[in-house]
Amino acid sequence: MEYKADLASLEKWELRHGGKNDQKYATIAEYLPFFKQAGLTAKEHLKSSLYFSKWKKEPLTNHFLCHGDFNNGNLLVSNQRIAIIDWDDVRYDFPSKDIARVLSLAMRRNEQWNEELFAHILRGYLQENPLSIEQLHLLFVDLAFPHIIERFLRKKLYAQMNLSEIQQFCNREALKTAFMLDEMKAHVH
């Protein structure tokens, strides 16, 4: 299970780097207990979801088709038409995978968490691809899980950032995660 592996990855990073006398590591380590708890909470919601248990047993063709690397660089615009390119990472998965990618890029560009921007992205998605209440709950569960933080640590993206950038990144991810946790709990059916 992806959640189990990602939580183990957070734990491994904390054991390896948590006690280092370096301000970058110390800043990240301050946020880790929150992200680990958010991950555990999301995992519990996923495990207790009857819809998820049923959904994961269905044939892949009943799942959602996800691009896997959806971003502006993979859109070609010509004569008011849009073509999506770079289908290397396409797979059947849950819509949160593409939504998380778009949201992460937007947050990086705006340098902050923005609830209104997320609502706009979600509204646009739901206009084209309506989700049931159960599916919406799982969307918030997966968006609450700290996938982005796990990737940030695993790929050592912090190495190229200064202390202020790390603080800003962790803070906006924490604000986003807290929002998604609230939405996840509000959308329990």
Side-chain angles (χ1 to χ4, degrees):
M1 178 184 238
E2 178 186 9
Y3 283 26
K4 185 177 179 181
D6 283 0
L7 285 169
S9 178
L10 293 180
E11 194 70 40
K12 184 177 167 184
W13 188 93
E14 187 176 37
L15 289 172
R16 186 176 298 150
H17 302 289
K20 289 187 177 175
N21 193 14
D22 177 287
Q23 198 56 42
K24 283 184 175 185
Y25 294 126
T27 299
I28 295 167
E30 285 176 33
Y31 285 90
L32 270 182
F34 170 75
F35 288 119
K36 288 182 352 185
Q37 184 57 52
L40 290 170
T41 301
K43 182 180 170 191
E44 288 307 311
H45 272 255
L46 191 67
K47 282 174 47 180
S48 67
S49 169
L50 296 176
Y51 174 79
F52 178 70
S53 296
K54 188 179 92 174
W55 178 78
K56 71 180 181 177
K57 293 175 187 169
E58 290 186 17
L60 284 180
T61 52
N62 290 355
H63 291 203
F64 298 86
L65 187 64
C66 293
H67 184 272
D69 190 20
F70 194 77
N71 65 73
N72 288 345
N74 288 331
L75 298 176
L76 295 178
V77 181
S78 177
N79 298 328
Q80 296 183 338
R81 294 185 62 159
I82 298 174
I84 302 171
I85 61 170
D86 186 10
W87 293 89
D88 293 344
D89 294 325
V90 73
R91 64 189 180 276
Y92 286 105
D93 209 327
F94 208 72
S96 51
K97 301 304 179 196
D98 282 339
I99 291 172
R101 176 84 169 137
V102 170
L103 181 59
S104 181
L105 292 169
M107 285 171 46
R108 191 175 342 152
R109 190 176 321 109
N110 293 332
E111 298 183 349
Q112 63 183 357
W113 158 247
N114 185 324
E115 189 176 321
E116 291 169 15
L117 177 62
F118 170 70
H120 178 73
I121 291 168
L122 184 59
R123 249 189 331 273
Y125 182 87
L126 294 175
Q127 255 181 342
E128 296 299 318
N129 302 294
L131 299 176
S132 69
I133 295 295
E134 294 89 356
Q135 291 167 335
L136 197 57
H137 175 248
L138 288 186
L139 177 93
F140 288 117
V141 167
D142 200 45
L143 291 174
F145 193 88
H147 298 290
I148 302 292
I149 290 295
E150 188 281 330
R151 182 178 184 275
F152 171 75
L153 298 177
R154 180 175 31 86
K155 292 192 171 262
K156 298 180 173 124
L157 300 177
Y158 52 85
Q160 305 147 5
M161 300 166 78
N162 65 39
L163 187 58
S164 176
E165 291 167 332
I166 291 170
Q167 177 70 40
Q168 187 178 41
F169 173 80
C170 290
N171 187 56
R172 73 177 177 245
E173 281 299 317
L175 291 170
K176 178 202 80 177
T177 300
F179 174 84
M180 298 304 170
L181 286 169
D182 288 345
E183 290 298 305
M184 175 186 77
K185 292 171 186 168
H187 286 85
V188 173
H189 51 281

